[in-house]
Amino acid sequence: MRKQAKPYGTCRLAEGAEVAGRKVLVIEDVVTSGGQIVLSTADLRNLGAQVDGALCVIDRDQGGTEALKRAGISLLSLLTAVDLRAAAAS
């Protein structure tokens, strides 16, 4: 997803396959507040995609999960800040 479509090339917000009518999973490296996923999901939904979930590598445990839940998006994280602190302490 792009924050804004570029005025050249394909001029699309989302590159790749057509998203209209498809179930889409948003993938993010790090989630803090969840704000960018909420914005990207709104754009994808406006393009006709069905977005119910997001996957991230690290959830920083700073409110992102709750913000996404309010937007109708469930978040699956591979690691959390708690996991990383525990690993660093051992």
Side-chain angles (χ1 to χ4, degrees):
M1 284 298 305
R2 292 192 172 99
K3 292 181 183 179
Q4 190 171 21
K6 293 183 179 186
Y8 56 87
T10 61
C11 302
R12 297 175 65 188
L13 281 173
E15 291 298 332
E18 189 63 42
V19 297
R22 292 190 169 186
K23 190 167 188 171
V24 175
L25 176 69
V26 174
I27 300 174
E28 186 67 76
D29 53 355
V30 178
V31 171
T32 303
S33 69
Q36 188 56 54
I37 293 176
V38 170
L39 294 173
S40 296
T41 297
D43 289 338
L44 286 165
R45 287 173 174 166
N46 287 335
L47 292 171
Q50 177 188 347
V51 186
D52 300 322
L55 170 71
C56 72
V57 177
I58 301 170
D59 179 357
R60 295 182 69 196
D61 295 322
Q62 294 184 5
T65 300
E66 295 79 13
L68 294 173
K69 187 174 183 178
R70 287 191 298 273
I73 307 161
S74 62
L75 179 66
L76 174 63
S77 57
L78 302 180
L79 297 167
T80 66
V82 172
D83 298 329
L84 296 175
R85 284 193 290 276
S90 58

